[in-house]
Amino acid sequence: MDFDAHFRSELDQLKAEGNYRIFAELERRCGAFPRAANHTGEGLDEVTVWCSNDYLGMGQHPAVTGAMKDAIDTCGAGAGGTRNISGNNHHHLVLERELADLHGKDAALLFTSGYVSNWAALSTLGSRIPGAVILSDAGNHASMIEGIRHSRADKVIWRHNDWRDLDRKLKAVGDRPKIVAFESVYSMDGDIAPIREIVEVCEAHGAMSYIDEVHAVGMYGPRGGGVSEREGLADRIDLIEGTLGKAFGVVGGYITGSVALCDFIRSFASGFIFTTALPPAVAAAATASIRHLKASDAERLAQRDRVARLRARLDALGIPHMANDSHIIPVMIKDPVKCRMISDILMNDWGIYVQPINYPTVPKGTERLRITPSPLHTDADIDHLVTALAALWRHCAIAHAVA
């Protein structure tokens, strides 16, 4: 077989469909977020980033960068290995205690990313609990889907955010160990799960509740514990999973829960056992970020103000964006070629970076620009973005929203 010919054919098909992905070569500038340098091949252009998951700009916060620098000076760059062999570090344990406290749990366990924490935890639970069945929300992230698939446990898909459908399907499962996996904030549509109803259904059927809070930690709740903290439900959820790579501004993933649950995952999850640990400096930076956001609401309040202002400006011009109660603003294009073209024009002509979102991240026909305002976007930044979008809507003949 001519493997390269096959690879080229598959890539050509992606390009023909408009789903081939092109990544910008950006260089984040500490202290200048949301500005970044765009390496064009002909030099550097300054762009304003509107699609970062560093939702609160904590990746450049002095407390976070200072903690990382101090830890590098103290511990060096790397962890030295897997935590099972030579990479367990004091900074890891301090961070796990901080995370357990954030969610009101007895224990926490670190992973190298939010993807890995979902994959490892769900695959371990599903494979190591005899007779387990996992009931998964239809909108769950790829990391959850892969973890469930890898577990080889029986699975049941329930309609997105439909707790009544979940209730019916839990009844149908019968007297078996049941794990209900869902998210709080869904990253592409920005909708929020009816957590209270889901938890009550889980409790009624004796099911383990597993919530992914990756797009909510740092963002919601009086201390940034996520939507489950905001709703006063964290203590009723068995496992809360999150990330350090979004609102906390660093990298890594984690789970929190009972001591027995976290120790069980630690002892059996291949995604924990066989991978190099996070660098101590990353753990120290994440600890500093979490501690800051536990005490400070200023970043969250400013970010909500920016979201509300941008939504109001888009509404005034009839530019369609998906309604939701979160910080994520999906501006719907519904065509992969137009979505790519608009993204390119925004970057090249307006100095605005918004990466197009297309299949397989979202279903075909729902392509979009996913905009995430930060506390550091100014009124002038918002005006510039809205002016650019309005001009492109006319130029590209995209339908306006109907009032």
Side-chain angles (χ1 to χ4, degrees), residues 186-191 310-311 314 319-333 354 357 362 366-373 393:
Y186 288 84
S187 63
M188 289 299 117
D189 289 353
D191 54 330
L310 178 55
R311 285 190 185 278
L314 293 172
I319 295 174
H321 58 98
M322 192 174 289
N324 61 52
D325 295 322
S326 77
H327 57 284
I328 296 165
I329 304 178
V331 174
M332 305 307 292
I333 310 297
V354 187
I357 305 294
V362 295
T366 68
E367 293 79 14
R368 67 199 64 187
L369 302 176
R370 178 183 178 275
I371 298 174
T372 53
W393 244 246

PDB file of all heavy atoms in Angstrom, residues 186-191 310-311 314 319-333 354 357 362 366-373 393:
ATOM      1  N   TYR A 186     -21.420  23.088  28.272  1.00  0.00           N
ATOM      2  CA  TYR A 186     -21.024  22.421  27.029  1.00  0.00           C
ATOM      3  C   TYR A 186     -20.327  23.440  26.129  1.00  0.00           C
ATOM      4  O   TYR A 186     -20.850  24.517  25.844  1.00  0.00           O
ATOM      5  CB  TYR A 186     -22.242  21.791  26.358  1.00  0.00           C
ATOM      6  CG  TYR A 186     -22.708  20.564  27.121  1.00  0.00           C
ATOM      7  CD1 TYR A 186     -23.542  20.683  28.223  1.00  0.00           C
ATOM      8  CD2 TYR A 186     -22.247  19.301  26.772  1.00  0.00           C
ATOM      9  CE1 TYR A 186     -23.928  19.566  28.956  1.00  0.00           C
ATOM     10  CE2 TYR A 186     -22.625  18.179  27.503  1.00  0.00           C
ATOM     11  CZ  TYR A 186     -23.466  18.311  28.587  1.00  0.00           C
ATOM     12  OH  TYR A 186     -23.834  17.202  29.315  1.00  0.00           O
ATOM     13  N   SER A 187     -19.115  23.079  25.693  1.00  0.00           N
ATOM     14  CA  SER A 187     -18.164  24.067  25.188  1.00  0.00           C
ATOM     15  C   SER A 187     -18.520  24.683  23.852  1.00  0.00           C
ATOM     16  O   SER A 187     -18.091  25.791  23.555  1.00  0.00           O
ATOM     17  CB  SER A 187     -16.769  23.443  25.086  1.00  0.00           C
ATOM     18  OG  SER A 187     -16.769  22.378  24.145  1.00  0.00           O
ATOM     19  N   MET A 188     -19.279  23.987  23.010  1.00  0.00           N
ATOM     20  CA  MET A 188     -19.549  24.520  21.682  1.00  0.00           C
ATOM     21  C   MET A 188     -20.845  25.329  21.614  1.00  0.00           C
ATOM     22  O   MET A 188     -20.899  26.367  20.974  1.00  0.00           O
ATOM     23  CB  MET A 188     -19.575  23.382  20.654  1.00  0.00           C
ATOM     24  CG  MET A 188     -18.203  22.787  20.385  1.00  0.00           C
ATOM     25  SD  MET A 188     -17.041  24.020  19.713  1.00  0.00           S
ATOM     26  CE  MET A 188     -15.812  24.068  21.005  1.00  0.00           C
ATOM     27  N   ASP A 189     -21.896  24.866  22.280  1.00  0.00           N
ATOM     28  CA  ASP A 189     -23.150  25.616  22.295  1.00  0.00           C
ATOM     29  C   ASP A 189     -23.237  26.541  23.506  1.00  0.00           C
ATOM     30  O   ASP A 189     -24.058  27.462  23.521  1.00  0.00           O
ATOM     31  CB  ASP A 189     -24.352  24.663  22.320  1.00  0.00           C
ATOM     32  CG  ASP A 189     -24.534  23.929  20.998  1.00  0.00           C
ATOM     33  OD1 ASP A 189     -23.819  24.248  20.030  1.00  0.00           O
ATOM     34  OD2 ASP A 189     -25.397  23.031  20.943  1.00  0.00           O
ATOM     35  N   GLY A 190     -22.426  26.268  24.531  1.00  0.00           N
ATOM     36  CA  GLY A 190     -22.424  27.115  25.712  1.00  0.00           C
ATOM     37  C   GLY A 190     -23.618  26.920  26.632  1.00  0.00           C
ATOM     38  O   GLY A 190     -23.839  27.724  27.537  1.00  0.00           O
ATOM     39  N   ASP A 191     -24.399  25.860  26.425  1.00  0.00           N
ATOM     40  CA  ASP A 191     -25.555  25.626  27.289  1.00  0.00           C
ATOM     41  C   ASP A 191     -25.121  24.963  28.587  1.00  0.00           C
ATOM     42  O   ASP A 191     -24.061  24.349  28.669  1.00  0.00           O
ATOM     43  CB  ASP A 191     -26.620  24.802  26.569  1.00  0.00           C
ATOM     44  CG  ASP A 191     -26.077  23.499  25.996  1.00  0.00           C
ATOM     45  OD1 ASP A 191     -24.883  23.455  25.632  1.00  0.00           O
ATOM     46  OD2 ASP A 191     -26.840  22.525  25.907  1.00  0.00           O
ATOM     47  N   LEU A 310     -20.868  42.435  24.616  1.00  0.00           N
ATOM     48  CA  LEU A 310     -20.721  41.924  23.252  1.00  0.00           C
ATOM     49  C   LEU A 310     -22.037  41.344  22.748  1.00  0.00           C
ATOM     50  O   LEU A 310     -22.437  41.582  21.598  1.00  0.00           O
ATOM     51  CB  LEU A 310     -19.617  40.871  23.195  1.00  0.00           C
ATOM     52  CG  LEU A 310     -19.396  40.230  21.821  1.00  0.00           C
ATOM     53  CD1 LEU A 310     -19.144  41.280  20.738  1.00  0.00           C
ATOM     54  CD2 LEU A 310     -18.244  39.233  21.870  1.00  0.00           C
ATOM     55  N   ARG A 311     -22.742  40.586  23.582  1.00  0.00           N
ATOM     56  CA  ARG A 311     -24.033  40.040  23.156  1.00  0.00           C
ATOM     57  C   ARG A 311     -25.002  41.161  22.760  1.00  0.00           C
ATOM     58  O   ARG A 311     -25.718  41.054  21.753  1.00  0.00           O
ATOM     59  CB  ARG A 311     -24.642  39.197  24.269  1.00  0.00           C
ATOM     60  CG  ARG A 311     -24.000  37.840  24.462  1.00  0.00           C
ATOM     61  CD  ARG A 311     -24.835  36.988  25.412  1.00  0.00           C
ATOM     62  NE  ARG A 311     -24.216  35.720  25.722  1.00  0.00           N
ATOM     63  CZ  ARG A 311     -24.267  34.645  24.950  1.00  0.00           C
ATOM     64  NH1 ARG A 311     -24.909  34.698  23.791  1.00  0.00           N
ATOM     65  NH2 ARG A 311     -23.685  33.513  25.321  1.00  0.00           N
ATOM     66  N   LEU A 314     -24.045  42.567  19.342  1.00  0.00           N
ATOM     67  CA  LEU A 314     -24.400  41.630  18.271  1.00  0.00           C
ATOM     68  C   LEU A 314     -25.905  41.636  18.024  1.00  0.00           C
ATOM     69  O   LEU A 314     -26.363  41.631  16.867  1.00  0.00           O
ATOM     70  CB  LEU A 314     -23.933  40.223  18.628  1.00  0.00           C
ATOM     71  CG  LEU A 314     -22.417  39.989  18.695  1.00  0.00           C
ATOM     72  CD1 LEU A 314     -22.131  38.595  19.241  1.00  0.00           C
ATOM     73  CD2 LEU A 314     -21.764  40.176  17.332  1.00  0.00           C
ATOM     74  N   ILE A 319     -26.691  40.155  14.242  1.00  0.00           N
ATOM     75  CA  ILE A 319     -25.729  39.086  13.936  1.00  0.00           C
ATOM     76  C   ILE A 319     -26.079  37.875  14.800  1.00  0.00           C
ATOM     77  O   ILE A 319     -26.082  37.968  16.030  1.00  0.00           O
ATOM     78  CB  ILE A 319     -24.289  39.556  14.195  1.00  0.00           C
ATOM     79  CG1 ILE A 319     -23.938  40.686  13.222  1.00  0.00           C
ATOM     80  CG2 ILE A 319     -23.299  38.405  14.033  1.00  0.00           C
ATOM     81  CD1 ILE A 319     -22.601  41.331  13.464  1.00  0.00           C
ATOM     82  N   PRO A 320     -26.405  36.742  14.186  1.00  0.00           N
ATOM     83  CA  PRO A 320     -26.939  35.624  14.956  1.00  0.00           C
ATOM     84  C   PRO A 320     -25.890  34.949  15.834  1.00  0.00           C
ATOM     85  O   PRO A 320     -24.823  34.579  15.374  1.00  0.00           O
ATOM     86  CB  PRO A 320     -27.447  34.657  13.872  1.00  0.00           C
ATOM     87  CG  PRO A 320     -26.614  34.974  12.676  1.00  0.00           C
ATOM     88  CD  PRO A 320     -26.319  36.446  12.750  1.00  0.00           C
ATOM     89  N   HIS A 321     -26.221  34.805  17.091  1.00  0.00           N
ATOM     90  CA  HIS A 321     -25.380  34.053  18.014  1.00  0.00           C
ATOM     91  C   HIS A 321     -26.290  33.194  18.856  1.00  0.00           C
ATOM     92  O   HIS A 321     -27.435  33.553  19.148  1.00  0.00           O
ATOM     93  CB  HIS A 321     -24.520  34.977  18.876  1.00  0.00           C
ATOM     94  CG  HIS A 321     -25.298  35.961  19.693  1.00  0.00           C
ATOM     95  ND1 HIS A 321     -25.597  35.767  21.022  1.00  0.00           N
ATOM     96  CD2 HIS A 321     -25.857  37.158  19.360  1.00  0.00           C
ATOM     97  CE1 HIS A 321     -26.279  36.789  21.479  1.00  0.00           C
ATOM     98  NE2 HIS A 321     -26.464  37.650  20.494  1.00  0.00           N
ATOM     99  N   MET A 322     -25.786  32.053  19.257  1.00  0.00           N
ATOM    100  CA  MET A 322     -26.600  31.087  19.980  1.00  0.00           C
ATOM    101  C   MET A 322     -26.846  31.567  21.404  1.00  0.00           C
ATOM    102  O   MET A 322     -25.917  31.890  22.127  1.00  0.00           O
ATOM    103  CB  MET A 322     -25.901  29.730  19.977  1.00  0.00           C
ATOM    104  CG  MET A 322     -26.764  28.580  20.441  1.00  0.00           C
ATOM    105  SD  MET A 322     -25.907  26.991  20.238  1.00  0.00           S
ATOM    106  CE  MET A 322     -25.925  26.832  18.448  1.00  0.00           C
ATOM    107  N   ALA A 323     -28.113  31.625  21.794  1.00  0.00           N
ATOM    108  CA  ALA A 323     -28.464  32.068  23.138  1.00  0.00           C
ATOM    109  C   ALA A 323     -28.081  31.000  24.155  1.00  0.00           C
ATOM    110  O   ALA A 323     -28.319  29.811  23.946  1.00  0.00           O
ATOM    111  CB  ALA A 323     -29.952  32.362  23.222  1.00  0.00           C
ATOM    112  N   ASN A 324     -27.477  31.414  25.253  1.00  0.00           N
ATOM    113  CA  ASN A 324     -27.167  30.520  26.364  1.00  0.00           C
ATOM    114  C   ASN A 324     -26.882  31.361  27.597  1.00  0.00           C
ATOM    115  O   ASN A 324     -26.852  32.590  27.521  1.00  0.00           O
ATOM    116  CB  ASN A 324     -25.980  29.596  26.026  1.00  0.00           C
ATOM    117  CG  ASN A 324     -24.698  30.357  25.738  1.00  0.00           C
ATOM    118  OD1 ASN A 324     -24.263  31.195  26.527  1.00  0.00           O
ATOM    119  ND2 ASN A 324     -24.073  30.082  24.590  1.00  0.00           N
ATOM    120  N   ASP A 325     -26.688  30.705  28.720  1.00  0.00           N
ATOM    121  CA  ASP A 325     -26.446  31.410  29.978  1.00  0.00           C
ATOM    122  C   ASP A 325     -24.986  31.367  30.401  1.00  0.00           C
ATOM    123  O   ASP A 325     -24.673  31.630  31.565  1.00  0.00           O
ATOM    124  CB  ASP A 325     -27.312  30.798  31.093  1.00  0.00           C
ATOM    125  CG  ASP A 325     -28.798  31.001  30.851  1.00  0.00           C
ATOM    126  OD1 ASP A 325     -29.169  32.081  30.363  1.00  0.00           O
ATOM    127  OD2 ASP A 325     -29.580  30.072  31.134  1.00  0.00           O
ATOM    128  N   SER A 326     -24.098  31.040  29.479  1.00  0.00           N
ATOM    129  CA  SER A 326     -22.689  30.899  29.831  1.00  0.00           C
ATOM    130  C   SER A 326     -21.857  32.026  29.224  1.00  0.00           C
ATOM    131  O   SER A 326     -22.375  32.984  28.644  1.00  0.00           O
ATOM    132  CB  SER A 326     -22.163  29.541  29.355  1.00  0.00           C
ATOM    133  OG  SER A 326     -21.929  29.556  27.962  1.00  0.00           O
ATOM    134  N   HIS A 327     -20.560  31.870  29.330  1.00  0.00           N
ATOM    135  CA  HIS A 327     -19.598  32.858  28.843  1.00  0.00           C
ATOM    136  C   HIS A 327     -19.189  32.624  27.394  1.00  0.00           C
ATOM    137  O   HIS A 327     -18.365  33.358  26.857  1.00  0.00           O
ATOM    138  CB  HIS A 327     -18.345  32.809  29.717  1.00  0.00           C
ATOM    139  CG  HIS A 327     -17.724  31.448  29.762  1.00  0.00           C
ATOM    140  ND1 HIS A 327     -18.241  30.418  30.507  1.00  0.00           N
ATOM    141  CD2 HIS A 327     -16.639  30.928  29.141  1.00  0.00           C
ATOM    142  CE1 HIS A 327     -17.506  29.333  30.358  1.00  0.00           C
ATOM    143  NE2 HIS A 327     -16.521  29.619  29.533  1.00  0.00           N
ATOM    144  N   ILE A 328     -19.753  31.602  26.754  1.00  0.00           N
ATOM    145  CA  ILE A 328     -19.362  31.215  25.391  1.00  0.00           C
ATOM    146  C   ILE A 328     -20.377  31.779  24.401  1.00  0.00           C
ATOM    147  O   ILE A 328     -21.588  31.588  24.558  1.00  0.00           O
ATOM    148  CB  ILE A 328     -19.283  29.682  25.278  1.00  0.00           C
ATOM    149  CG1 ILE A 328     -18.165  29.153  26.188  1.00  0.00           C
ATOM    150  CG2 ILE A 328     -19.062  29.239  23.833  1.00  0.00           C
ATOM    151  CD1 ILE A 328     -18.214  27.662  26.433  1.00  0.00           C
ATOM    152  N   ILE A 329     -19.885  32.477  23.378  1.00  0.00           N
ATOM    153  CA  ILE A 329     -20.761  33.096  22.377  1.00  0.00           C
ATOM    154  C   ILE A 329     -20.508  32.444  21.020  1.00  0.00           C
ATOM    155  O   ILE A 329     -19.557  32.789  20.312  1.00  0.00           O
ATOM    156  CB  ILE A 329     -20.515  34.620  22.292  1.00  0.00           C
ATOM    157  CG1 ILE A 329     -20.689  35.277  23.664  1.00  0.00           C
ATOM    158  CG2 ILE A 329     -21.467  35.254  21.268  1.00  0.00           C
ATOM    159  CD1 ILE A 329     -20.428  36.768  23.671  1.00  0.00           C
ATOM    160  N   PRO A 330     -21.338  31.480  20.617  1.00  0.00           N
ATOM    161  CA  PRO A 330     -21.190  30.877  19.288  1.00  0.00           C
ATOM    162  C   PRO A 330     -21.903  31.736  18.235  1.00  0.00           C
ATOM    163  O   PRO A 330     -23.122  31.922  18.293  1.00  0.00           O
ATOM    164  CB  PRO A 330     -21.875  29.509  19.427  1.00  0.00           C
ATOM    165  CG  PRO A 330     -22.237  29.379  20.890  1.00  0.00           C
ATOM    166  CD  PRO A 330     -22.333  30.769  21.423  1.00  0.00           C
ATOM    167  N   VAL A 331     -21.135  32.272  17.307  1.00  0.00           N
ATOM    168  CA  VAL A 331     -21.694  33.030  16.186  1.00  0.00           C
ATOM    169  C   VAL A 331     -21.833  32.066  15.008  1.00  0.00           C
ATOM    170  O   VAL A 331     -20.841  31.566  14.484  1.00  0.00           O
ATOM    171  CB  VAL A 331     -20.803  34.232  15.825  1.00  0.00           C
ATOM    172  CG1 VAL A 331     -21.305  34.927  14.562  1.00  0.00           C
ATOM    173  CG2 VAL A 331     -20.766  35.219  16.987  1.00  0.00           C
ATOM    174  N   MET A 332     -23.067  31.812  14.609  1.00  0.00           N
ATOM    175  CA  MET A 332     -23.339  30.733  13.673  1.00  0.00           C
ATOM    176  C   MET A 332     -23.115  31.162  12.217  1.00  0.00           C
ATOM    177  O   MET A 332     -23.643  32.182  11.767  1.00  0.00           O
ATOM    178  CB  MET A 332     -24.768  30.243  13.858  1.00  0.00           C
ATOM    179  CG  MET A 332     -25.095  29.827  15.290  1.00  0.00           C
ATOM    180  SD  MET A 332     -23.928  28.623  15.988  1.00  0.00           S
ATOM    181  CE  MET A 332     -24.317  27.199  14.955  1.00  0.00           C
ATOM    182  N   ILE A 333     -22.331  30.341  11.500  1.00  0.00           N
ATOM    183  CA  ILE A 333     -22.071  30.544  10.072  1.00  0.00           C
ATOM    184  C   ILE A 333     -22.766  29.462   9.251  1.00  0.00           C
ATOM    185  O   ILE A 333     -23.347  29.729   8.206  1.00  0.00           O
ATOM    186  CB  ILE A 333     -20.562  30.538   9.772  1.00  0.00           C
ATOM    187  CG1 ILE A 333     -19.806  31.485  10.727  1.00  0.00           C
ATOM    188  CG2 ILE A 333     -20.303  30.907   8.318  1.00  0.00           C
ATOM    189  CD1 ILE A 333     -20.193  32.926  10.606  1.00  0.00           C
ATOM    190  N   VAL A 354     -10.133  34.624  15.402  1.00  0.00           N
ATOM    191  CA  VAL A 354     -11.182  33.717  15.870  1.00  0.00           C
ATOM    192  C   VAL A 354     -11.077  32.466  15.006  1.00  0.00           C
ATOM    193  O   VAL A 354     -11.375  32.501  13.812  1.00  0.00           O
ATOM    194  CB  VAL A 354     -12.596  34.314  15.743  1.00  0.00           C
ATOM    195  CG1 VAL A 354     -13.610  33.376  16.405  1.00  0.00           C
ATOM    196  CG2 VAL A 354     -12.685  35.685  16.365  1.00  0.00           C
ATOM    197  N   ILE A 357     -14.705  26.903  13.808  1.00  0.00           N
ATOM    198  CA  ILE A 357     -15.048  25.624  14.430  1.00  0.00           C
ATOM    199  C   ILE A 357     -15.889  24.823  13.440  1.00  0.00           C
ATOM    200  O   ILE A 357     -16.960  25.274  13.019  1.00  0.00           O
ATOM    201  CB  ILE A 357     -15.839  25.815  15.736  1.00  0.00           C
ATOM    202  CG1 ILE A 357     -15.077  26.731  16.696  1.00  0.00           C
ATOM    203  CG2 ILE A 357     -16.141  24.465  16.376  1.00  0.00           C
ATOM    204  CD1 ILE A 357     -13.787  26.169  17.218  1.00  0.00           C
ATOM    205  N   VAL A 362     -17.954  20.070  15.742  1.00  0.00           N
ATOM    206  CA  VAL A 362     -19.401  20.297  15.734  1.00  0.00           C
ATOM    207  C   VAL A 362     -19.988  19.563  14.531  1.00  0.00           C
ATOM    208  O   VAL A 362     -19.275  19.259  13.565  1.00  0.00           O
ATOM    209  CB  VAL A 362     -19.736  21.807  15.652  1.00  0.00           C
ATOM    210  CG1 VAL A 362     -19.263  22.532  16.903  1.00  0.00           C
ATOM    211  CG2 VAL A 362     -19.131  22.438  14.398  1.00  0.00           C
ATOM    212  N   THR A 366     -23.316  23.143  11.196  1.00  0.00           N
ATOM    213  CA  THR A 366     -23.399  24.016  12.378  1.00  0.00           C
ATOM    214  C   THR A 366     -22.067  24.732  12.619  1.00  0.00           C
ATOM    215  O   THR A 366     -21.751  25.090  13.752  1.00  0.00           O
ATOM    216  CB  THR A 366     -23.795  23.225  13.642  1.00  0.00           C
ATOM    217  OG1 THR A 366     -22.722  22.331  13.999  1.00  0.00           O
ATOM    218  CG2 THR A 366     -25.066  22.426  13.421  1.00  0.00           C
ATOM    219  N   GLU A 367     -21.313  24.941  11.554  1.00  0.00           N
ATOM    220  CA  GLU A 367     -20.016  25.612  11.685  1.00  0.00           C
ATOM    221  C   GLU A 367     -20.216  27.007  12.288  1.00  0.00           C
ATOM    222  O   GLU A 367     -21.223  27.670  12.029  1.00  0.00           O
ATOM    223  CB  GLU A 367     -19.331  25.703  10.330  1.00  0.00           C
ATOM    224  CG  GLU A 367     -18.907  24.367   9.747  1.00  0.00           C
ATOM    225  CD  GLU A 367     -20.038  23.563   9.107  1.00  0.00           C
ATOM    226  OE1 GLU A 367     -21.127  24.155   8.876  1.00  0.00           O
ATOM    227  OE2 GLU A 367     -19.836  22.369   8.831  1.00  0.00           O
ATOM    228  N   ARG A 368     -19.208  27.433  13.028  1.00  0.00           N
ATOM    229  CA  ARG A 368     -19.382  28.664  13.795  1.00  0.00           C
ATOM    230  C   ARG A 368     -18.043  29.317  14.129  1.00  0.00           C
ATOM    231  O   ARG A 368     -16.985  28.710  14.014  1.00  0.00           O
ATOM    232  CB  ARG A 368     -20.097  28.349  15.104  1.00  0.00           C
ATOM    233  CG  ARG A 368     -19.256  27.497  16.049  1.00  0.00           C
ATOM    234  CD  ARG A 368     -20.084  26.804  17.104  1.00  0.00           C
ATOM    235  NE  ARG A 368     -21.022  25.837  16.524  1.00  0.00           N
ATOM    236  CZ  ARG A 368     -21.943  25.202  17.218  1.00  0.00           C
ATOM    237  NH1 ARG A 368     -22.058  25.421  18.516  1.00  0.00           N
ATOM    238  NH2 ARG A 368     -22.750  24.342  16.645  1.00  0.00           N
ATOM    239  N   LEU A 369     -18.135  30.559  14.577  1.00  0.00           N
ATOM    240  CA  LEU A 369     -17.042  31.229  15.263  1.00  0.00           C
ATOM    241  C   LEU A 369     -17.384  31.187  16.752  1.00  0.00           C
ATOM    242  O   LEU A 369     -18.452  31.634  17.154  1.00  0.00           O
ATOM    243  CB  LEU A 369     -16.904  32.681  14.797  1.00  0.00           C
ATOM    244  CG  LEU A 369     -16.661  32.895  13.304  1.00  0.00           C
ATOM    245  CD1 LEU A 369     -16.639  34.386  12.991  1.00  0.00           C
ATOM    246  CD2 LEU A 369     -15.374  32.238  12.845  1.00  0.00           C
ATOM    247  N   ARG A 370     -16.494  30.633  17.543  1.00  0.00           N
ATOM    248  CA  ARG A 370     -16.732  30.499  18.984  1.00  0.00           C
ATOM    249  C   ARG A 370     -15.955  31.603  19.687  1.00  0.00           C
ATOM    250  O   ARG A 370     -14.735  31.565  19.787  1.00  0.00           O
ATOM    251  CB  ARG A 370     -16.281  29.117  19.452  1.00  0.00           C
ATOM    252  CG  ARG A 370     -16.434  28.862  20.937  1.00  0.00           C
ATOM    253  CD  ARG A 370     -15.867  27.486  21.259  1.00  0.00           C
ATOM    254  NE  ARG A 370     -15.914  27.162  22.683  1.00  0.00           N
ATOM    255  CZ  ARG A 370     -14.979  27.519  23.564  1.00  0.00           C
ATOM    256  NH1 ARG A 370     -13.919  28.213  23.157  1.00  0.00           N
ATOM    257  NH2 ARG A 370     -15.085  27.175  24.829  1.00  0.00           N
ATOM    258  N   ILE A 371     -16.689  32.595  20.174  1.00  0.00           N
ATOM    259  CA  ILE A 371     -16.072  33.795  20.745  1.00  0.00           C
ATOM    260  C   ILE A 371     -16.128  33.726  22.265  1.00  0.00           C
ATOM    261  O   ILE A 371     -17.165  33.406  22.853  1.00  0.00           O
ATOM    262  CB  ILE A 371     -16.789  35.054  20.231  1.00  0.00           C
ATOM    263  CG1 ILE A 371     -16.645  35.142  18.701  1.00  0.00           C
ATOM    264  CG2 ILE A 371     -16.243  36.307  20.889  1.00  0.00           C
ATOM    265  CD1 ILE A 371     -17.421  36.271  18.070  1.00  0.00           C
ATOM    266  N   THR A 372     -14.989  34.006  22.890  1.00  0.00           N
ATOM    267  CA  THR A 372     -14.900  33.937  24.354  1.00  0.00           C
ATOM    268  C   THR A 372     -14.290  35.241  24.886  1.00  0.00           C
ATOM    269  O   THR A 372     -13.073  35.351  25.029  1.00  0.00           O
ATOM    270  CB  THR A 372     -14.054  32.733  24.801  1.00  0.00           C
ATOM    271  OG1 THR A 372     -12.780  32.764  24.130  1.00  0.00           O
ATOM    272  CG2 THR A 372     -14.745  31.425  24.443  1.00  0.00           C
ATOM    273  N   PRO A 373     -15.131  36.227  25.186  1.00  0.00           N
ATOM    274  CA  PRO A 373     -14.617  37.490  25.735  1.00  0.00           C
ATOM    275  C   PRO A 373     -13.937  37.267  27.082  1.00  0.00           C
ATOM    276  O   PRO A 373     -14.353  36.428  27.873  1.00  0.00           O
ATOM    277  CB  PRO A 373     -15.883  38.336  25.900  1.00  0.00           C
ATOM    278  CG  PRO A 373     -16.909  37.698  25.016  1.00  0.00           C
ATOM    279  CD  PRO A 373     -16.589  36.236  25.017  1.00  0.00           C
ATOM    280  N   TRP A 393     -20.670  40.308   7.366  1.00  0.00           N
ATOM    281  CA  TRP A 393     -22.010  39.751   7.155  1.00  0.00           C
ATOM    282  C   TRP A 393     -22.607  40.296   5.857  1.00  0.00           C
ATOM    283  O   TRP A 393     -23.243  39.566   5.100  1.00  0.00           O
ATOM    284  CB  TRP A 393     -22.906  40.097   8.345  1.00  0.00           C
ATOM    285  CG  TRP A 393     -23.348  38.871   9.084  1.00  0.00           C
ATOM    286  CD1 TRP A 393     -24.614  38.380   9.186  1.00  0.00           C
ATOM    287  CD2 TRP A 393     -22.520  37.970   9.816  1.00  0.00           C
ATOM    288  NE1 TRP A 393     -24.613  37.224   9.930  1.00  0.00           N
ATOM    289  CE2 TRP A 393     -23.343  36.948  10.328  1.00  0.00           C
ATOM    290  CE3 TRP A 393     -21.141  37.907  10.079  1.00  0.00           C
ATOM    291  CZ2 TRP A 393     -22.863  35.888  11.092  1.00  0.00           C
ATOM    292  CZ3 TRP A 393     -20.658  36.871  10.836  1.00  0.00           C
ATOM    293  CH2 TRP A 393     -21.509  35.870  11.327  1.00  0.00           C
TER     294      TRP A 393
END
